[in-house]
Amino acid sequence: MKDFIDAYSWINMRYLLQGLWITVVVSLASIAGSYVIGTILGIIRYVNIKILSPIVGFIIDVIRNLPLLLIIFFTYFGLPNLGLRPSSVWATIVAMIVFESSMIAEIVRSGIVAVPSGQMEGARANGLSYSQTMYHIILPQAMKKMIPALVSQFISLIKDTSLATIIVLPDLMHNAQIVYGENTSYILPMFLMLAIMYFVVCYALSLVSRSLERRMS
């Protein structure tokens, strides 16, 4: 019990909260960037633009089949060879956006495909242009179908930020490792606190998704 009390001292908890803040910031930036880019790529794949759509599809398939850790390595160690030197925070955000965009693109494409084709035909027959139909008719319906899959992907993204400890991202996992590295008797208390903090963040996201589903239903 003494180990738990000592492990949860204010100094250690403040250090963990600093790491949690980095985890949340990196996750939110990655979610926003990957959602925008993934949506655009998903629409491009669905629309089937000559030459462009096959190229985008090939790139997405390649990225989806690469380990996220490899992409993190490339952004942090490979980009300096191209004249770019991102910090560990920016390297993680870029890697997450690249990887998650490919995943979200497939979710978006699948969501659009799930909307009955008659919706497009009916809207076009009523005088709406293709882009108007996509924006006002198809995407709102597809979005409702996509929410569970998107939330699951975003929750995975939050947990995957822990992989960036390999490039010394000062996130929640990294800071916990620093704490129990100084005193191995803190390992169990730190793992327990990690589980609680990750659960709180991920569960909060799931609550937001449920609220969105209710509003869109």
Side-chain angles (χ1 to χ4, degrees):
M1 184 56 120
K2 185 177 183 302
D3 289 338
F4 278 81
I5 295 174
D6 293 341
Y8 297 150
S9 67
W10 168 240
I11 293 176
N12 288 343
M13 290 303 298
R14 183 176 62 182
Y15 193 54
L16 287 181
L17 289 173
Q18 290 172 351
L20 179 62
W21 172 248
I22 295 296
T23 294
V24 171
V25 169
V26 169
S27 297
L28 290 178
S30 301
I31 287 172
S34 60
Y35 177 74
V36 172
I37 296 174
T39 299
I40 294 172
L41 296 179
I43 292 173
I44 291 175
R45 287 207 71 179
Y46 172 79
V47 173
N48 197 22
I49 302 172
K50 188 176 181 180
I51 299 178
L52 180 59
S53 291
I55 292 175
V56 169
F58 175 75
I59 294 173
I60 288 173
D61 289 338
V62 169
I63 293 175
R64 288 177 65 217
N65 288 284
L66 292 176
L68 175 56
L69 192 58
L70 179 62
I71 299 175
I72 293 174
F73 271 135
F74 176 79
T75 55
Y76 190 67
F77 297 109
L79 290 182
N81 294 325
L82 301 177
L84 302 173
R85 299 186 179 279
S87 64
S88 60
V89 171
W90 280 108
T92 303
I93 291 173
V94 171
M96 288 290 181
I97 289 176
V98 169
F99 184 77
E100 295 298 329
S101 292
S102 65
M103 300 296 184
I104 292 171
E106 282 302 294
I107 294 174
V108 170
R109 186 187 67 81
S110 299
I112 295 174
V113 169
V115 176
S117 59
Q119 296 288 322
M120 173 66 76
E121 296 168 359
R124 296 302 302 276
N126 282 306
L128 293 178
S129 66
Y130 187 87
S131 58
Q132 288 175 326
T133 302
M134 284 294 295
Y135 184 78
H136 294 290
I137 307 297
I138 305 300
L139 285 178
Q141 295 182 66
M143 184 58 62
K144 186 163 62 174
K145 299 176 183 293
M146 287 186 269
I147 287 178
L150 285 174
V151 172
S152 295
Q153 193 61 44
F154 291 150
I155 288 175
S156 295
L157 182 156
I158 294 171
K159 293 182 289 186
D160 286 345
T161 57
S162 61
L163 293 174
T165 55
I166 199 72
I167 59 171
V168 202
L169 176 72
D171 69 335
L172 179 57
M173 180 65 75
H174 171 270
N175 287 8
Q177 290 177 344
I178 295 296
V179 172
Y180 69 69
E182 295 178 353
N183 190 331
T184 55
S185 64
Y186 294 168
I187 291 179
L188 183 58
M190 285 299 105
F191 281 167
L192 178 60
M193 186 54 62
L194 280 174
I196 292 172
M197 288 185 170
Y198 276 117
F199 171 78
V200 169
V201 174
C202 294
Y203 187 65
L205 181 58
S206 67
L207 290 178
V208 171
S209 73
R210 292 176 190 175
S211 176
L212 285 175
E213 284 186 277
R214 284 195 297 268
R215 291 183 180 183
M216 296 180 69
S217 62

